[in-house]
Amino acid sequence: MKHANQTADRAADYLARRLYEAGCRHAFGMPGGEVLTVMDALARAGIECVLARHENAAAFMAEGVWHRTGAPGILIATLGPGVLNGVNAIANAHQDRVPLIVLSGCVDADEALTYTHQILDHEAVLRPITKATFRLTAQGADIIADKAMGIALEGRPGPVLIDVPISIADTRVTLPILRRRPMAEVMAPAPGEALTRARGWLADAERPVMIVGLDAMNEGAGPDIAALAERHGIPVITTYKAKGVIDETHAMAMGGAGLSPLADGIVVPLVERADLILCVGYDPIEMRPGWREIWDPAKVNVIDIAAVPNHQYMHQATMNIVGDSGAGLRALCEGVAPRATWPGGEPAAVRAALADAFSHDDDWGAAGVIAEARATLPRDTIATCDSGAHRILLSQMWTSYAPQALLQSTALCTMGCAVPLAMGAKIAEPDRPVVSFSGDAGFLMVAGELSTVAELKLPVIFVVFVDASLSLIEKKQRERQMVNLAVDFGHHDFAAIGRAFGGNGVTVRSRSELRAALEEAQKADSFTVIAAEIDRGSYDGRI
């Protein structure tokens, strides 16, 4: 790889090399004439360009890679419709705090004065759903690349756009040095009166609880959370994106909250009884209205440790600590002696009630599918889950032993995410088993990506809940005594779709059939679509 001071390189090469430095090894998208130089530069830098069938799916593939490698995802989108196709997944990255570098191509400014075909102001379109937008310049290529990388990763991660004019990408420039800004150091709360007061609250708390979210997962704070939970007897509730931040078999793990009314009916009373609430990297963008202002910080001590100040007003805190979750917890518990907590045994009762409410004993139906899949697949399986009724149930029933092993869209809750998330995860970790769970409607949105799976030779397992309905919306219609309207569709042969694209396909109608299909799929050298036919009513009373 050439150094900048040896020969004049293209501006696109400086951009590509910065992405490579950050650990990026894969980019996803669809080519257009305006991004050909960028793609060539990526390939020369050592970054593989993966052809997807739609930019929306490509962005989710990039997210899947990020979850498994820690390197920002890369989406390639050509001008106009290419960028617009990616809007849903870019907005999802913004709300789900995913560092996504969006590389788009655009015509040169002078050309755009008279040439209007497919011309679109990409920066104006994406500015509300990104952390920053840039237009690449030749002399500032290294600075823009470095700024984009830093902004995408710092604080709460998110997407950043770099719009690349055609002629700029090809412009040869010689930069005497490569300008790089060091990443910010992890900061703990400074000693002082506030930290002393917070330690006093922890020392005096008889019924403390932790609510853990996205920031803590992204910052790798799991070991600090587990240590504090064990030492001080603090139950841990997570958002769905943070599932597995501590092993969910841990006695202090209360599972995910904020999506299932059934689960919240069990977990929320625990929070309401607490005399100290630690919000650790808790981003309530994942939570539903039932979690809005469920405590009064004037009546209970609430410490909010997060990467950014609290501007969301879903909850308020008695004390806000802006900084790294793990460092904040270590500073908080320093010198604080443990004491007996929850003398009434409420955390154990909550765990027992959740296990009873989300039993794994169903003979079949949606719960039977999930229970059998978790029992059959290896402990280290990476699972992805689409939006819908099955996600609410699976997010409660699927035991997560480690962070970022259950991937889903939790803030925007966009459909069609599970299939490409699974593909990205499998690309990043080819030796790990990967399973995708989709409703039949969500699977139809991205079925074309099966051709991508086949070409990449990825032995991913795709489980489809087949009930020929938008089950969650159909359930809501029935509960509100509304007419069944625009929620049902044809009963399709999803196993045949899998075979048509060159993979394996099997239809199952019992736990024994599902178990056999999953065991065969793990031995296959190509992907497998498992169509699990269930009754749409199997979600009633379960979520």
Side-chain angles (χ1 to χ4, degrees):
M1 197 173 296
K2 295 189 295 286
H3 294 289
N5 60 357
Q6 291 180 319
T7 62
D9 291 316
R10 298 170 299 180
D13 293 315
Y14 289 102
L15 169 60
R17 284 204 293 270
R18 181 65 187 92
L19 296 173
Y20 185 89
E21 286 176 9
C24 302
R25 297 296 181 268
H26 303 277
F28 302 86
M30 296 193 76
E34 296 75 19
V35 293
L36 290 181
T37 298
V38 171
M39 292 173 62
D40 181 73
L42 292 173
R44 289 173 184 269
I47 299 173
E48 178 186 7
C49 295
V50 178
L51 172 63
R53 301 300 177 264
H54 195 283
E55 288 83 357
N56 198 59
F60 279 114
M61 292 179 205
E63 178 182 342
V65 169
W66 170 68
H67 281 300
R68 303 314 312 164
T69 67
I74 302 174
L75 170 64
I76 301 170
T78 195
L79 86 172
V83 171
L84 292 180
N85 274 349
V87 163
N88 184 302
I90 295 168
N92 181 83
H94 190 242
Q95 294 198 11
D96 265 16
R97 319 312 188 194
V98 175
L100 179 71
I101 303 298
V102 182
L103 303 179
S104 59
C106 62
V107 300
D108 300 321
D110 289 338
E111 182 79 356
L113 294 174
T114 57
Y115 183 78
T116 57
H117 177 66
Q118 292 188 322
I119 301 302
L120 183 71
D121 188 340
H122 299 156
E123 291 188 82
V125 170
L126 298 186
R127 190 169 290 115
I129 55 172
T130 55
K131 291 184 72 178
T133 66
F134 296 96
R135 178 162 293 194
L136 196 72
T137 66
Q139 293 297 324
D142 64 321
I143 296 176
I144 290 171
D146 195 56
K147 281 188 175 184
M149 188 59 60
I151 292 171
L153 289 168
E154 67 191 14
R156 280 188 174 144
V160 174
L161 167 70
I162 303 178
D163 207 19
V164 185
I166 298 172
S167 67
I168 296 299
D170 278 312
T171 299
R172 298 278 176 175
V173 292
T174 301
L175 302 179
I177 59 171
L178 289 180
R179 291 157 288 190
R180 298 285 185 267
R181 180 177 62 85
M183 296 297 289
E185 296 292 328
V186 171
M187 299 298 291
E193 188 274 334
L195 185 57
T196 299
R197 188 165 73 253
R199 287 170 175 163
W201 293 345
L202 177 60
D204 293 340
E206 185 179 68
R207 297 183 306 279
V209 66
M210 266 191 280
I211 305 177
V212 178
L214 273 169
D215 290 353
M217 182 190 71
N218 288 340
E219 293 161 359
D224 295 301
I225 292 165
L228 183 62
E230 292 167 4
R231 177 173 169 80
H232 292 271
I234 306 178
V236 177
I237 301 164
T238 71
T239 64
Y240 288 101
K241 201 81 172 182
K243 269 177 67 71
V245 71
I246 68 168
D247 185 334
E248 290 191 310
T249 63
H250 194 291
M252 288 292 105
M254 304 294 110
L259 180 59
S260 164
L262 181 59
D264 286 351
I266 298 168
V267 173
V268 167
L270 184 74
V271 179
E272 292 175 334
R273 290 212 59 200
D275 58 4
L276 173 65
I277 300 171
L278 298 175
C279 296
V280 184
Y282 171 48
D283 184 352
I285 194 170
E286 297 183 66
M287 306 301 255
R288 298 302 174 270
W291 280 77
R292 183 185 297 137
E293 296 182 334
I294 65 171
W295 58 72
D296 183 349
K299 297 178 180 179
V300 59
N301 292 322
V302 182
I303 302 173
D304 193 340
I305 306 172
V308 298
N310 178 349
H311 296 308
Q312 30 73 16
Y313 285 84
M314 271 282 284
H315 74 268
Q316 292 297 288
T318 319
M319 180 184 297
N320 289 141
I321 298 174
V322 178
D324 179 82
S325 299
L329 288 181
R330 291 193 297 273
L332 175 64
C333 67
E334 185 177 337
V336 179
R339 59 167 294 174
T341 60
W342 295 98
E346 291 89 342
V350 166
R351 282 179 60 85
L354 287 170
D356 183 63
F358 298 95
S359 168
H360 285 232
D361 298 334
D362 296 58
D363 290 335
W364 191 234
V369 172
I370 296 164
E372 192 60 46
R374 180 67 283 190
T376 303
L377 292 169
R379 182 187 177 104
D380 67 341
T381 296
I382 300 168
T384 68
C385 189
D386 214 329
S387 292
H390 68 283
R391 180 171 87 91
I392 301 175
L393 190 58
L394 186 139
S395 293
Q396 291 299 142
M397 294 182 63
W398 188 267
T399 302
S400 293
Y401 302 100
Q404 294 169 310
L406 175 58
L407 312 181
Q408 50 186 309
S409 169
T410 58
L412 198 60
C413 298
T414 189
M415 290 177 67
C417 68
V419 168
L421 278 172
M423 294 166 62
K426 190 66 174 178
I427 288 171
E429 291 194 291
D431 295 331
R432 290 274 293 273
V434 177
V435 61
S436 159
F437 293 96
S438 301
D440 40 11
F443 190 82
L444 288 172
M445 285 184 173
V446 292
E449 296 300 339
L450 292 182
S451 63
T452 311
V453 180
E455 290 165 8
L456 295 175
K457 297 180 172 58
L458 301 175
V460 179
I461 304 170
F462 299 102
V463 176
V464 185
F465 295 84
V466 181
D467 55 16
S469 178
L470 297 170
S471 299
L472 182 59
I473 309 306
E474 187 273 338
K475 180 175 180 292
K476 290 180 178 180
Q477 282 182 339
R478 280 190 288 112
E479 290 170 348
R480 296 179 63 182
Q481 298 182 328
M482 292 179 171
V483 64
N484 179 286
L485 180 65
V487 293
D488 297 338
F489 47 89
H491 190 285
H492 304 295
D493 189 342
F494 288 89
I497 294 174
R499 293 191 295 270
F501 279 101
N504 306 301
V506 59
T507 300
V508 298
R509 299 180 178 86
S510 70
R511 288 184 68 149
S512 60
E513 290 179 351
L514 174 59
R515 186 183 316 118
L518 289 169
E519 289 171 348
E520 284 299 311
Q522 292 178 72
K523 296 181 287 187
D525 57 5
S526 60
F527 73 87
T528 301
V529 175
I530 300 176
E533 299 206 346
I534 61 171
D535 183 82
R536 68 185 62 171
S538 66
Y539 297 104
D540 292 353
R542 296 304 305 271
I543 58 176

